Amino acid sequence: MSPRSTTSKPLLICTAPFRFLPQSAITSHFQILQIPERFATDVGYLRETLREVLKGSSNTLRSSADSPYHSAAGLYCGMGGWSNLTTSNFFDPLSDLFAEQKNGTAPMLKIIANHGVGYDNIDASAAANKGIIVTNTPDVVSAATSEIALSLILQCSRKLGQQEKSLREGKWVRRLLYGNALGGKVLGIVGMGSIGREVAKRAKAFGMNIMYHQRHRLPQEFEQEHDMQYAETLHDLLKRSDMVSLHCPLTENTRHLISEKEFECMKKSAYIINTSRGPVIDEKAMLNALREGRIAGAGLDVHEYEPQVTADFLDLENVVLLPHVGTHTVETRHDMEALCLENLKKVLVEGRAPVTPVKECAHIKVARSRDEM
């Protein structure tokens, strides 16, 4: 194999294209291996493609015999792209290839840049064990996601979906469909991170009283400054809330966090809003609660089995459904891509720590690539 060129660019494998940044912003720093979108959710295809790349047997990106792959590689999990980087289907089958990187013939996968704040699609601990940094896009998604949460709160409380449906059916039935005002109502927020705080700020403008629950209580000075109350237990929050909005990550501890017992705690007049991750709610239990009138309704931007939506929800007028569009604004998507690119550049081009590593990978030190030595 020819000696590596000092001007070769790091390899960037993309499971979906960058849609909101100019292509030159990407190609000026990286050689791009774009996984065709029709294969972006095909684990087998991507695994075999990466196998070829990491073994150095793919000529797809080589511009000349004197400019083979740079020694560092990154994986960009873009919007709508491959979303299942688990131990069994990714890291374990390629562990032998990662071991081969010591012989200097294969690019070393250094970073997985996830296009999104939630990274339950990636086994970050397995990546960290192999020295691979995983990054996400927190904070830049907070405003847009909170807007969707408030939209669902408004649609549920004022029965806007039902009002629109009846009008499209040629019925003028506004006197028969009365909603509820938000002023004075209790909004219970599960997870007071950056998105939860943005929701609280916007809900205050509607005159709502804010209660929250999470494992670690915020400083009392913060609570007083922002006029919010802490619920010691989840069940206490559920019992006292008129609206419950979920903003917690999906982990083993939060999977089906809201199930039969939790729905039993809620007021019959309460609504539940989910813009976090679908499996945080046990949808079977929620369907039973909705059918039996144990809660008033639900607003869902995320779904337990997405992209499939539980069919029974489609027939319930007291459920507002959206197709996971919490961050779907031009501005937010641009900022998410820009943050992904910045993380990739920090690690692969500059040999520095990324801006937003996930907690499992925060301890990993970035070593300079062989090309820079």
Side-chain angles (χ1 to χ4, degrees):
M1 180 176 289
S2 303
R4 278 191 172 82
S5 167
T6 57
T7 60
S8 63
K9 298 175 183 178
L11 170 65
L12 180 59
I13 304 158
C14 300
T15 67
F18 285 84
R19 292 181 169 92
F20 296 90
L21 296 179
Q23 192 67 15
S24 60
I26 319 301
T27 56
S28 61
H29 298 287
F30 304 105
Q31 297 183 80
I32 306 299
L33 174 60
Q34 182 67 61
I35 304 298
E37 288 195 69
R38 65 184 183 278
F39 295 119
T41 57
D42 186 333
V43 172
Y45 178 90
L46 182 55
R47 186 168 59 223
E48 291 308 310
T49 300
L50 290 178
R51 187 180 298 277
E52 289 185 8
V53 168
L54 292 176
K55 281 185 174 180
S57 59
S58 172
N59 295 315
T60 306
L61 299 179
R62 298 185 183 184
S63 57
S64 72
D66 296 326
S67 182
Y69 290 132
H70 186 281
S71 64
L75 179 64
Y76 168 63
C77 298
M79 176 176 66
W82 194 47
S83 60
N84 193 22
L85 298 176
T86 63
T87 302
S88 61
N89 68 17
F90 182 76
F91 294 111
D92 287 350
L94 291 179
S95 60
D96 58 327
L97 299 177
F98 294 136
E100 289 177 11
Q101 52 198 41
K102 295 179 180 178
N103 67 17
T105 63
M108 179 170 63
L109 185 61
K110 286 189 172 185
I111 178 173
I112 299 172
N114 191 53
H115 185 278
V117 61
Y119 57 97
D120 49 280
N121 55 313
I122 299 173
D123 190 330
S125 295
N129 288 338
K130 297 184 183 299
I132 302 166
I133 297 173
V134 177
T135 65
N136 64 342
T137 59
D139 299 332
V140 296
V141 306
S142 300
T145 305
S146 69
E147 290 171 358
I148 287 294
L150 260 294
S151 171
L152 290 170
I153 288 171
L154 283 165
Q155 289 185 73
C156 287
S157 65
R158 297 298 299 271
K159 303 185 186 300
L160 298 183
Q162 293 160 265
Q163 301 278 14
E164 186 198 27
K165 181 175 180 291
S166 65
L167 194 60
R168 288 181 182 278
E169 292 173 347
K171 303 173 185 176
W172 191 268
V173 292
R174 61 180 186 165
R175 290 179 295 177
L176 303 179
L177 290 171
Y178 290 96
N180 296 102
L182 295 180
K185 298 297 193 300
V186 175
L187 172 61
I189 296 177
V190 181
M192 191 58 79
S194 60
I195 297 175
R197 296 180 192 190
E198 290 293 326
V199 171
K201 180 173 69 176
R202 287 161 173 75
K204 290 293 291 183
F206 286 91
M208 300 191 79
N209 299 316
I210 307 301
M211 179 177 288
Y212 79 97
H213 173 75
Q214 60 185 18
R215 284 187 301 170
H216 304 293
R217 183 173 183 174
L218 297 172
Q220 292 188 9
E221 296 79 8
F222 183 92
E223 293 176 356
Q224 293 170 0
E225 179 184 353
H226 296 277
D227 191 20
M228 59 179 61
Q229 184 179 356
Y230 180 68
E232 293 289 344
T233 68
L234 174 62
H235 283 195
D236 184 39
L237 177 138
L238 296 174
K239 289 175 183 177
R240 300 167 64 183
S241 298
D242 300 294
M243 288 275 180
V244 176
S245 192
L246 304 178
H247 302 286
C248 51
L250 177 62
T251 67
E252 286 306 309
N253 291 329
T254 62
R255 185 176 296 275
H256 287 187
L257 179 69
I258 308 298
S259 192
E260 287 288 353
K261 291 182 179 179
E262 288 67 39
F263 286 116
E264 288 293 339
C265 291
M266 294 177 65
K267 299 178 181 180
K268 289 187 176 182
S269 58
Y271 292 85
I272 190 162
I273 308 297
N274 192 10
T275 58
S276 59
R277 284 292 187 265
V280 170
I281 297 180
D282 178 349
E283 288 193 351
K284 182 178 179 180
M286 178 165 57
L287 185 61
N288 291 336
L290 289 164
R291 283 174 166 170
E292 296 168 8
R294 286 184 277 132
I295 61 172
L300 308 175
D301 182 45
V302 292
H303 308 272
E304 185 169 4
Y305 307 106
E306 63 181 64
Q308 285 75 39
V309 177
T310 300
D312 291 329
F313 288 145
L314 302 175
D315 298 323
L316 297 180
E317 292 189 345
N318 58 343
V319 178
V320 179
L321 301 170
L322 295 176
H324 202 156
V325 294
T327 61
H328 275 53
T329 70
V330 172
E331 298 83 359
T332 301
R333 289 296 183 171
H334 174 277
D335 291 346
M336 291 170 73
E337 289 190 357
L339 182 52
C340 284
L341 180 59
E342 184 65 18
N343 281 323
L344 289 162
K345 286 167 55 181
K346 288 287 186 186
V347 173
L348 298 176
V349 179
E350 301 173 18
R352 298 166 60 190
V355 180
T356 54
V358 302
K359 61 183 180 180
E360 292 88 344
C361 302
H363 66 283
I364 300 176
K365 296 187 181 301
V366 180
R368 295 170 63 194
S369 70
R370 296 189 295 269
D371 303 79
E372 301 170 314
M373 296 180 179

